[in-house]
Amino acid sequence: MPVFEIEKYFDRLWPICRSITGNGLRDSLNVIQELIPLQLREVPTGTKVFDWTIPKEWNIKDAYIIMPDGNKICDFKVNNLHVVNYSIPVNKELEYDELTKHLHYIDSMPEAIPYVTSYYKENWGFCISYKEFKKLPKTGIYKVVIESSLQAGSLTYGEYILKGETDEEVLFSTYLCHPSMANNELSGPLVQAFLYQKIASLTKRKYTYRFLFAPETIGVVAYLYENGMHLKQKLKAGYVLTCCGDDANFIYKQSKHVNSIADEIAKHVLKHQDVPYEIIPFSVGGSDERQYCSPGFNLPVGSLTRSMYQKYKEYHTSLDNKNFISFEAMKKTIETYFLFVKALELNNYYKAEIEYCEPQLGKRGLYPSSVNPDVSRKLIHDRMHLLSFADGKLSLIEIAELKNIPVFDLEQHVLLLQEEGLLKRDV
Amino acid sequence: MPVFEIEKYFDRLWPICRSITGNGLRDSLNVIQELIPLQLREVPTGTKVFDWTIPKEWNIKDAYIIMPDGNKICDFKVNNLHVVNYSIPVNKELEYDELTKHLHYIDSMPEAIPYVTSYYKENWGFCISYKEFKKLPKTGIYKVVIESSLQAGSLTYGEYILKGETDEEVLFSTYLCHPSMANNELSGPLVQAFLYQKIASLTKRKYTYRFLFAPETIGVVAYLYENGMHLKQKLKAGYVLTCCGDDANFIYKQSKHVNSIADEIAKHVLKHQDVPYEIIPFSVGGSDERQYCSPGFNLPVGSLTRSMYQKYKEYHTSLDNKNFISFEAMKKTIETYFLFVKALELNNYYKAEIEYCEPQLGKRGLYPSSVNPDVSRKLIHDRMHLLSFADGKLSLIEIAELKNIPVFDLEQHVLLLQEEGLLKRDV
Amino acid sequence: MPVFEIEKYFDRLWPICRSITGNGLRDSLNVIQELIPLQLREVPTGTKVFDWTIPKEWNIKDAYIIMPDGNKICDFKVNNLHVVNYSIPVNKELEYDELTKHLHYIDSMPEAIPYVTSYYKENWGFCISYKEFKKLPKTGIYKVVIESSLQAGSLTYGEYILKGETDEEVLFSTYLCHPSMANNELSGPLVQAFLYQKIASLTKRKYTYRFLFAPETIGVVAYLYENGMHLKQKLKAGYVLTCCGDDANFIYKQSKHVNSIADEIAKHVLKHQDVPYEIIPFSVGGSDERQYCSPGFNLPVGSLTRSMYQKYKEYHTSLDNKNFISFEAMKKTIETYFLFVKALELNNYYKAEIEYCEPQLGKRGLYPSSVNPDVSRKLIHDRMHLLSFADGKLSLIEIAELKNIPVFDLEQHVLLLQEEGLLKRDV
């Protein structure tokens, strides 16, 4: 997975005006389908999903303001953030005072166009940088045009299930409803699509992997309406992929149950990487984990992010763009999530075949040797540690943590000792 | 509850010579009855209560020493600490050497008259400041007079039960057997009486509240002999009120079981007040919690104090007087105990009515708004936090602690969300 | 137990060439029998014990190298470390290049003769200081002589069981297979033998004590093959005695189950001694606890050491000699282990006879008094603390720890209060 591949897909997805419904969302899913064979589903407008109802489908062709001097500003075709997402169609002339009731800007960030939505309350509006806003003449007639439509249609999401040896599942969930922004949110879908490719390349998988690309909140509510009870039965661990594309330190947000295996895996992997990171508790200020962890489901779903929603000033503005992110960092995010997968796959319960006293490794030629005596010492110590603690009650990660080593260090010993008949998986 | 009201009752109770039995105790309970409708009980001399026996009743009219020069010292009518509490009657002449066997003073505190008792061993004595003691002439004849009586009678205590919706109980227990001392011990009875008035003014009470004013140790032993098994069934939380009248920082002494709800409430309330405090474990160096927490009962009874028994030099001397205490501080103690009550009353288990995914607050107009965006953000975050964690398994305090906020911040949301049909109490 | 007695036995044991089998081991056990009435057992060569087989018995008379100039080096009679332990017999002439394939030295420690064994792979070799090694001429003919024998025989161990009131057991296990080295390993057997004498002198013992002197690893594997299931039923606590003879700080290595009573006792005793110490978790880099704590047995066996195996540079060399150790320190190790025993014997469950409220100590004359008021205060506080927490659910050590005092401080109160009928042992 070369970095330029990620960038190529980023560049293709960037200009599309996405929303929680509509053709921008569908077009984006079609691009993602080149990387992962998603099945697309359509949920019709008006469908009740728990406490929510699928809204009308929104599509947009153009939007702009004509200034009194005839110049065009807030041009949707220049930046799709200029129009309030889900704006109703409008075409009228008005004066400065009325216009400004529909303008959004951030006076503390004069260069930034804010990102504003109005999904559930019919309204229209434009987003403008404060710098441009200040220049607007207070007299004269403005013309506003929004060529949008809001009508019965459907909400689209894409899903792919990669089968494993068992029907226990691992979920990766991301959203694709934001228009042109980079960390939040093209990083999530891109990381998830390329992560899929790495997982698909594994020759053996214990778990079945589920990949969901849906609009935030309403999309996941709709998804859980259909799949929530199944996940409650089968989900071993899950992660929401969002805000994971810049080079800030990793932040892992835990699921509601702090001892979930999803969290244990994440903490273990991050602890043994040589980069700083932070672990934070579940909270409702977040993304789709709010739905997955709602009281009725309470699924073991956490989230590994970098610069997190609401915590960086470029969040939900036009400044969250290609300059803000790093494709190298995105690659590292993919690799870290892939280590989660590898740790999950490795994390079984094992039992020493020779339970009473130590096995005699010497007679089997199982004393590892290396030209470097420190390496030999670690190898033999890890091997004996595994045999000593493999009692069927401790998971492999728990055994690794007792020695403060990554579970990956034990992998070669698990394989060899199973071959030699000294260790067995306990199921 | 104005501060001068507390002071008024302090001034009336101050001069009365109390003991573990007798008319001083009865008179003091009569004063307290103006604040709380106590029922008085009399336990006859000789009654066996567990390992103890109610002693003879002690009353005293006067006590003094006539010096060889005819001057009167150690005058009971000037300060009732001058006579050893429970002294037998005496009226005789004696010399300095014999007299001094019956004198108590503290050489390291030359101004202080110590407080000494001899409840269970018949004896007599006087307490004198070291400064006065040093002046006593070593020759000549002294006359000692103690006009006391020690005879069959009874021990008195006062109790009031304030009914609530359930028969689960909260106990407040204090003692009223100390003669003229202020922090230990007029602060306890005064705080408890005024706390009663605040609790009685609540329009709704989940718990039944029990208020006990009894002599220390023997009074509580007698009380538990009659009520201990009932309390073992019904007591949710209890507190011993003592040493809570000066302006030192709060000290909360835990019950024996560190996870009792009494302790959880106290720790939560203190943590979210903006004043320093200390939490200490249960220990036997204390007051009536020793009886409540004895192995057979092991009740969830803690104690919130300020300058604690045995830990301040004025303790059990004439220097523990009105100068030592602060009525403002006493008022703050009352308010803090009242917060315990409010937290107890609030601390229910709640369940979100919409369990699966989040409820759509927008369509119900439940997004709180304030002109201050920080206030709005906190309000919405608290509300969603409550809905997210209301699974019927976490208490409201546990939910508040997960967000490190006081439970009182959740009260408005509990009320509103119940009204809106989004939350129900789980019983 | 005077220190010179320990030294006397050290001096007698020092020159004997021990191994995991053979007459050196038997002779050493015979010396130890003067201190503890060990029963000796012989396990024949070829016996299968779990994954291991008892090897041939090894005995040796002499070993040396004749240099090209006729001088003798690596003389076994000067230092028995010169010959690789378990070397097969050899008597031949060879050149420098072939000889050096059989020489062991440590270039970073030019004065030290290393300790090398080859129990399970037939081989021969000599150990030499690097300083001597450097002097060997590279030309000329060397003669090597090892007068050893390797033939069917048996492995010897010694055991003594000191009966107590119950059949619950405490195990002390040490090994006696190392030739002339001091901290590792004459300290273990010496400490264990003298510890036996202290335990045997107790007039009353709740536990039965088992003392094992066996060769390391294979000896304990053989022992567990015969006694492991019995120990799994009966063992309350056990300790491996090794590396406990120098004056480094104590290190206590826990058993695998961190909450075993063996560990609780050790931590409690060490915490209340006024010397620095360290507590470390179980690990497989160790001694016979590896067998005791193997997954099938998982016995509560820890180990109190001073300079620990593999952690000091003199380890397994001729520099681990009498200069390295301290007989005073060894005595202190014995005393500390003896405190473990005393704590184990004391650590019962007690119940207050008067459960409801406090007993009235005054009427029984049970208020302790001392001329020193601080002493009195501690005595009464300890006594009441014991009565208050003696609920049959807390062990005496847990009760002591709640007051952060050594369990030994409670002993006098336990005895007195039992006599007075205020406390009973709860079984």
Side-chain angles (χ1 to χ4, degrees):
Chain A
M1 171 198 56
V3 156
F4 69 79
E5 272 283 297
I6 311 176
E7 182 168 1
K8 190 182 82 184
Y9 279 92
F10 176 88
D11 290 341
R12 286 176 58 197
L13 288 164
W14 174 260
I16 303 173
C17 179
R18 283 167 292 275
S19 183
I20 56 172
T21 61
N23 292 323
L25 172 59
R26 281 185 200 98
D27 293 346
S28 300
L29 287 166
N30 290 341
V31 173
I32 296 285
Q33 276 178 316
E34 296 174 23
L35 295 165
I36 169 172
L38 296 177
Q39 296 242 299
L40 304 194
R41 317 270 180 191
E42 300 284 345
V43 187
T45 296
T47 308
K48 304 257 177 237
V49 287
F50 299 121
D51 196 43
W52 302 68
T53 304
I54 304 298
K56 290 180 189 160
E57 180 174 328
W58 184 68
N59 284 290
I60 183 162
K61 282 197 213 132
D62 204 356
Y64 50 83
I65 299 172
I66 304 294
M67 298 227 289
D69 65 5
N71 281 325
K72 188 187 272 189
I73 56 162
C74 291
D75 186 348
F76 171 78
K77 291 188 171 158
V78 174
N79 190 324
N80 56 34
L81 294 178
H82 275 309
V83 68
V84 167
N85 204 290
Y86 252 71
S87 280
I88 56 174
V90 61
N91 187 330
K92 67 172 163 185
E93 298 193 334
L94 34 62
E95 295 191 349
Y96 178 83
D97 284 352
E98 203 192 330
L99 174 65
T100 56
K101 290 178 193 156
H102 293 270
L103 295 187
H104 303 268
Y105 50 84
I106 306 168
D107 51 12
S108 62
M109 293 175 70
E111 309 284 340
I113 306 164
Y115 165 51
V116 178
T117 68
S118 187
Y119 301 142
Y120 300 105
K121 190 174 161 191
E122 295 205 349
N123 205 343
W124 65 269
F126 283 88
C127 300
I128 184 170
S129 73
Y130 187 61
K131 196 168 139 190
E132 291 300 315
F133 170 75
K134 293 287 280 180
K135 290 187 204 155
L136 298 182
K138 292 185 177 156
T139 54
I141 297 300
Y142 287 85
K143 180 169 188 190
V144 294
V145 175
I146 300 180
E147 292 178 37
S148 66
S149 66
L150 203 58
Q151 51 200 45
S154 58
L155 172 152
T156 317
Y157 66 78
E159 173 190 35
Y160 183 70
I161 294 168
L162 180 65
K163 292 275 183 200
E165 288 164 14
T166 71
D167 62 357
E168 279 201 293
E169 293 195 10
V170 176
L171 169 72
F172 293 100
S173 174
T174 194
Y175 50 98
L176 194 54
C177 54
H178 285 42
S180 300
M181 284 171 296
N183 189 47
N184 181 38
E185 190 54 88
L186 278 178
S187 69
L190 286 170
V191 165
Q192 185 162 304
F194 284 96
L195 174 63
Y196 158 78
Q197 298 202 328
K198 286 181 82 76
I199 300 173
S201 74
L202 289 172
T203 51
K204 216 170 122 88
R205 280 181 303 272
K206 183 171 65 178
Y207 294 114
T208 289
Y209 291 83
R210 185 179 285 258
F211 300 85
L212 175 65
F213 296 73
E216 203 179 8
T217 306
I218 184 70
V220 167
V221 172
Y223 186 76
L224 282 171
Y225 190 74
E226 286 168 19
N227 300 282
M229 289 306 160
H230 171 84
L231 289 175
K232 217 171 150 170
Q233 295 295 318
K234 297 298 183 190
L235 194 72
K236 184 81 180 171
Y239 302 96
V240 169
L241 280 76
T242 175
C243 296
C244 51
D246 69 323
D247 58 10
N249 290 338
F250 283 122
I251 301 172
Y252 180 72
K253 177 179 176 179
Q254 297 178 79
S255 69
K256 224 185 236 177
H257 284 309
V258 290
N259 292 321
S260 79
I261 187 72
D263 298 339
E264 192 194 332
I265 291 286
K267 288 187 223 173
H268 178 76
V269 168
L270 291 172
K271 178 181 170 188
H272 294 284
Q273 282 191 335
D274 55 352
V275 288
Y277 66 96
E278 198 185 343
I279 305 281
I280 63 171
F282 175 83
S283 78
V284 292
S287 177
D288 289 326
E289 65 279 10
R290 287 156 46 178
Q291 314 311 325
Y292 292 119
C293 299
S294 59
F297 291 122
N298 203 2
L299 297 170
V301 173
S303 184
L304 179 72
T305 74
R306 289 175 176 271
S307 284
M308 195 178 232
Y309 32 76
Q310 295 160 354
K311 298 287 171 62
Y312 60 105
K313 68 178 195 309
E314 296 84 355
Y315 171 74
H316 274 196
T317 76
S318 56
L319 302 184
D320 183 356
N321 56 30
K322 200 170 173 178
N323 293 328
F324 183 74
I325 57 170
S326 149
F327 294 102
E328 277 300 340
M330 231 183 270
K331 189 178 171 201
K332 181 78 184 149
T333 306
I334 295 165
E335 285 162 358
T336 302
Y337 264 122
F338 189 57
L339 287 180
F340 289 11
V341 168
K342 282 178 71 178
L344 271 162
E345 292 283 336
L346 265 176
N347 190 36
N348 300 311
Y349 290 78
Y350 296 96
K351 239 179 157 159
E353 292 271 8
I354 292 167
E355 286 183 274
Y356 296 108
C357 297
E358 293 180 339
Q360 197 182 355
L361 296 184
K363 73 182 183 190
R364 294 181 175 82
L366 289 180
Y367 276 108
S369 65
S370 158
V371 285
N372 181 335
D374 288 340
V375 171
S376 297
R377 205 171 297 124
K378 174 170 166 56
L379 285 172
I380 182 61
H381 206 279
D382 284 356
R383 186 169 297 174
M384 291 175 71
H385 175 82
L386 171 58
L387 284 167
S388 180
F389 283 96
D391 61 358
K393 287 172 208 139
L394 294 166
S395 71
L396 198 66
I397 285 183
E398 288 168 331
I399 291 174
E401 280 296 340
L402 283 169
K403 202 166 180 284
N404 200 21
I405 56 173
V407 69
F408 311 113
D409 285 9
L410 295 178
E411 185 173 14
Q412 60 169 299
H413 302 295
V414 166
L415 296 174
L416 180 68
L417 294 173
Q418 279 182 307
E419 253 172 52
E420 294 285 338
L422 289 177
L423 195 71
K424 63 184 167 201
R425 199 172 145 192
D426 197 46
V427 279
Chain B
M1 173 198 52
V3 156
F4 68 80
E5 271 284 297
I6 311 176
E7 183 168 1
K8 190 182 82 184
Y9 278 93
F10 176 87
D11 290 342
R12 286 175 59 196
L13 288 163
W14 173 260
I16 303 172
C17 180
R18 284 165 293 274
S19 183
I20 57 171
T21 61
N23 292 324
L25 172 59
R26 282 187 199 95
D27 293 345
S28 300
L29 287 165
N30 291 340
V31 173
I32 297 286
Q33 277 178 315
E34 297 174 21
L35 295 165
I36 168 172
L38 296 177
Q39 295 243 300
L40 303 195
R41 317 269 180 191
E42 299 285 345
V43 188
T45 296
T47 308
K48 305 256 177 237
V49 287
F50 298 121
D51 196 42
W52 302 69
T53 306
I54 304 299
K56 289 180 190 157
E57 179 173 328
W58 184 68
N59 283 292
I60 183 161
K61 281 196 216 135
D62 204 357
Y64 51 83
I65 299 171
I66 305 294
M67 297 227 290
D69 65 5
N71 280 325
K72 188 187 272 189
I73 56 161
C74 290
D75 187 349
F76 171 78
K77 291 188 173 158
V78 173
N79 190 324
N80 57 33
L81 293 178
H82 275 310
V83 68
V84 167
N85 204 291
Y86 252 70
S87 280
I88 56 174
V90 61
N91 186 332
K92 67 172 164 186
E93 299 193 333
L94 35 62
E95 294 189 349
Y96 178 84
D97 284 352
E98 202 193 331
L99 174 65
T100 55
K101 291 178 194 157
H102 293 270
L103 295 186
H104 302 268
Y105 50 82
I106 304 166
D107 50 12
S108 62
M109 293 175 71
E111 308 283 342
I113 306 165
Y115 165 51
V116 179
T117 68
S118 187
Y119 302 140
Y120 300 104
K121 191 174 161 191
E122 295 206 349
N123 204 345
W124 65 268
F126 284 89
C127 299
I128 185 169
S129 73
Y130 187 61
K131 196 170 140 190
E132 290 300 313
F133 171 75
K134 292 288 280 181
K135 289 188 204 153
L136 297 183
K138 293 189 174 150
T139 55
I141 297 300
Y142 287 86
K143 181 170 186 190
V144 294
V145 174
I146 300 181
E147 291 178 37
S148 67
S149 68
L150 204 56
Q151 51 199 45
S154 59
L155 173 151
T156 318
Y157 66 78
E159 172 189 35
Y160 183 69
I161 293 168
L162 180 64
K163 292 276 183 201
E165 289 164 14
T166 71
D167 62 356
E168 278 201 295
E169 293 194 10
V170 176
L171 169 72
F172 293 100
S173 175
T174 193
Y175 50 99
L176 195 52
C177 54
H178 284 43
S180 300
M181 284 173 295
N183 189 45
N184 181 37
E185 189 54 90
L186 278 178
S187 70
L190 286 170
V191 166
Q192 186 161 305
F194 284 96
L195 174 63
Y196 158 77
Q197 299 203 327
K198 287 181 82 77
I199 299 172
S201 74
L202 290 172
T203 50
K204 214 169 123 92
R205 279 180 305 273
K206 182 171 66 177
Y207 294 115
T208 289
Y209 290 83
R210 185 179 285 256
F211 300 85
L212 175 66
F213 296 74
E216 202 178 8
T217 305
I218 183 71
V220 168
V221 172
Y223 186 76
L224 282 171
Y225 190 74
E226 287 167 18
N227 300 283
M229 288 305 159
H230 172 84
L231 289 175
K232 219 172 148 167
Q233 295 296 317
K234 297 297 182 190
L235 195 70
K236 184 81 180 173
Y239 302 96
V240 170
L241 279 75
T242 174
C243 296
C244 52
D246 70 319
D247 58 9
N249 289 339
F250 283 122
I251 301 173
Y252 180 72
K253 178 179 174 178
Q254 296 178 80
S255 68
K256 222 183 240 177
H257 284 309
V258 290
N259 292 321
S260 78
I261 187 72
D263 298 340
E264 191 194 333
I265 290 286
K267 287 187 224 172
H268 178 75
V269 168
L270 292 171
K271 177 179 170 188
H272 294 283
Q273 283 191 335
D274 56 352
V275 288
Y277 66 95
E278 200 185 341
I279 304 281
I280 62 171
F282 175 83
S283 78
V284 293
S287 178
D288 289 326
E289 67 279 8
R290 287 155 47 177
Q291 314 311 324
Y292 292 118
C293 299
S294 58
F297 291 122
N298 203 3
L299 297 171
V301 173
S303 184
L304 179 73
T305 74
R306 289 177 177 271
S307 284
M308 195 178 232
Y309 33 77
Q310 296 161 354
K311 298 283 170 67
Y312 61 105
K313 71 177 193 308
E314 296 84 355
Y315 170 74
H316 274 198
T317 77
S318 58
L319 302 184
D320 182 355
N321 56 29
K322 200 169 171 179
N323 294 327
F324 183 75
I325 57 169
S326 149
F327 293 102
E328 279 298 342
M330 229 181 272
K331 189 178 170 201
K332 180 77 183 153
T333 307
I334 295 164
E335 286 162 356
T336 302
Y337 264 121
F338 188 58
L339 287 180
F340 289 12
V341 169
K342 283 177 71 179
L344 272 162
E345 291 283 336
L346 264 178
N347 191 35
N348 300 310
Y349 290 79
Y350 295 96
K351 239 180 158 159
E353 292 270 9
I354 292 168
E355 289 182 272
Y356 297 108
C357 297
E358 294 180 339
Q360 197 182 356
L361 296 184
K363 72 182 183 191
R364 295 181 174 82
L366 289 179
Y367 276 107
S369 65
S370 158
V371 286
N372 181 335
D374 288 341
V375 170
S376 297
R377 204 172 296 124
K378 174 172 166 55
L379 285 171
I380 183 62
H381 206 279
D382 285 357
R383 185 169 296 171
M384 290 175 72
H385 176 82
L386 171 57
L387 284 168
S388 181
F389 283 96
D391 62 358
K393 288 172 207 140
L394 294 166
S395 72
L396 198 66
I397 285 183
E398 288 169 329
I399 291 173
E401 281 296 340
L402 283 169
K403 202 165 179 283
N404 200 23
I405 57 172
V407 70
F408 311 113
D409 285 9
L410 296 178
E411 186 174 13
Q412 59 168 302
H413 303 294
V414 166
L415 296 174
L416 179 68
L417 294 172
Q418 279 181 309
E419 252 172 54
E420 295 284 339
L422 288 178
L423 195 72
K424 63 182 165 201
R425 198 171 145 194
D426 196 47
V427 280
Chain C
M1 171 197 56
V3 156
F4 69 79
E5 271 284 296
I6 311 175
E7 183 169 2
K8 191 181 82 184
Y9 278 93
F10 177 88
D11 290 342
R12 287 175 58 197
L13 288 164
W14 174 261
I16 304 172
C17 179
R18 285 167 290 276
S19 183
I20 56 171
T21 60
N23 292 322
L25 172 59
R26 283 187 199 95
D27 293 346
S28 300
L29 286 166
N30 291 340
V31 172
I32 296 286
Q33 277 178 316
E34 296 174 22
L35 294 166
I36 168 170
L38 296 177
Q39 297 242 301
L40 303 194
R41 319 269 180 190
E42 300 285 345
V43 187
T45 295
T47 308
K48 304 255 177 238
V49 287
F50 299 121
D51 195 43
W52 301 69
T53 306
I54 303 298
K56 289 180 189 158
E57 180 173 328
W58 184 67
N59 284 291
I60 182 162
K61 280 196 214 133
D62 204 357
Y64 51 82
I65 299 171
I66 304 295
M67 298 227 287
D69 65 5
N71 282 323
K72 189 188 270 189
I73 56 162
C74 291
D75 187 349
F76 170 78
K77 291 189 171 157
V78 173
N79 190 324
N80 57 34
L81 294 178
H82 276 309
V83 67
V84 167
N85 204 291
Y86 253 71
S87 279
I88 56 174
V90 61
N91 187 332
K92 66 172 165 185
E93 299 193 332
L94 36 61
E95 293 189 350
Y96 177 84
D97 284 351
E98 202 193 330
L99 174 64
T100 55
K101 292 178 193 156
H102 293 270
L103 295 186
H104 303 268
Y105 50 84
I106 305 167
D107 50 13
S108 62
M109 293 175 69
E111 308 283 341
I113 307 165
Y115 165 51
V116 179
T117 67
S118 187
Y119 302 141
Y120 301 105
K121 189 174 160 191
E122 295 204 350
N123 205 342
W124 65 267
F126 284 88
C127 300
I128 184 168
S129 72
Y130 187 61
K131 196 169 139 191
E132 291 300 313
F133 169 75
K134 293 287 281 181
K135 290 187 205 155
L136 297 183
K138 294 191 175 151
T139 55
I141 297 300
Y142 287 86
K143 181 171 186 189
V144 295
V145 175
I146 300 180
E147 291 178 39
S148 66
S149 68
L150 204 57
Q151 51 199 46
S154 58
L155 172 152
T156 318
Y157 66 78
E159 172 191 35
Y160 182 69
I161 294 169
L162 179 65
K163 292 274 182 202
E165 289 164 13
T166 70
D167 62 356
E168 278 201 295
E169 294 194 9
V170 177
L171 169 73
F172 292 101
S173 175
T174 193
Y175 49 97
L176 194 54
C177 53
H178 285 43
S180 299
M181 284 171 295
N183 189 46
N184 180 42
E185 189 53 89
L186 278 178
S187 69
L190 287 169
V191 165
Q192 185 162 304
F194 284 96
L195 174 63
Y196 158 77
Q197 298 203 328
K198 287 181 82 77
I199 299 172
S201 74
L202 289 172
T203 51
K204 215 170 122 88
R205 279 182 303 274
K206 182 171 66 177
Y207 294 114
T208 289
Y209 290 84
R210 185 178 284 258
F211 299 85
L212 175 66
F213 295 75
E216 202 179 9
T217 305
I218 183 71
V220 168
V221 172
Y223 187 76
L224 282 170
Y225 190 74
E226 285 167 21
N227 299 282
M229 289 305 161
H230 171 84
L231 289 175
K232 217 171 149 169
Q233 294 295 318
K234 296 298 183 190
L235 195 70
K236 184 80 181 173
Y239 301 97
V240 169
L241 280 76
T242 174
C243 297
C244 52
D246 69 322
D247 57 10
N249 291 337
F250 283 122
I251 301 171
Y252 180 72
K253 178 180 174 179
Q254 297 178 81
S255 69
K256 222 184 238 177
H257 284 308
V258 291
N259 293 320
S260 79
I261 187 70
D263 298 340
E264 192 195 332
I265 290 286
K267 288 187 225 172
H268 178 76
V269 168
L270 292 171
K271 177 180 170 187
H272 295 284
Q273 284 192 335
D274 56 350
V275 288
Y277 66 95
E278 198 184 343
I279 304 281
I280 62 171
F282 175 83
S283 78
V284 293
S287 177
D288 289 326
E289 67 278 9
R290 286 157 44 178
Q291 314 310 324
Y292 292 118
C293 300
S294 58
F297 291 122
N298 203 2
L299 297 170
V301 173
S303 184
L304 179 72
T305 74
R306 288 173 177 274
S307 284
M308 195 176 233
Y309 33 76
Q310 295 160 353
K311 299 285 171 65
Y312 60 105
K313 70 179 194 310
E314 296 84 354
Y315 171 74
H316 274 196
T317 76
S318 57
L319 302 184
D320 182 355
N321 56 30
K322 200 170 171 177
N323 293 328
F324 183 75
I325 58 170
S326 150
F327 294 101
E328 278 298 342
M330 230 182 270
K331 191 178 170 202
K332 181 76 184 149
T333 306
I334 295 164
E335 286 163 357
T336 301
Y337 264 121
F338 189 57
L339 287 180
F340 288 12
V341 168
K342 284 178 70 179
L344 271 162
E345 291 284 335
L346 265 176
N347 190 37
N348 300 310
Y349 290 79
Y350 296 96
K351 238 181 158 158
E353 291 271 8
I354 292 168
E355 287 183 272
Y356 296 108
C357 295
E358 292 180 340
Q360 197 182 357
L361 296 183
K363 73 181 184 191
R364 294 181 175 82
L366 288 179
Y367 276 107
S369 65
S370 159
V371 286
N372 181 335
D374 287 342
V375 171
S376 297
R377 204 171 297 124
K378 174 173 165 55
L379 285 171
I380 182 62
H381 206 279
D382 284 357
R383 186 170 296 171
M384 291 175 70
H385 176 82
L386 171 58
L387 284 168
S388 179
F389 283 96
D391 61 357
K393 287 171 208 141
L394 293 167
S395 72
L396 199 65
I397 285 184
E398 288 168 330
I399 291 173
E401 281 296 340
L402 282 169
K403 201 165 179 285
N404 201 21
I405 57 174
V407 70
F408 311 114
D409 285 8
L410 295 178
E411 184 174 15
Q412 59 168 303
H413 303 294
V414 167
L415 296 173
L416 180 68
L417 294 173
Q418 279 182 308
E419 253 172 52
E420 294 285 340
L422 289 177
L423 195 72
K424 63 182 168 202
R425 196 170 147 195
D426 196 47
V427 281

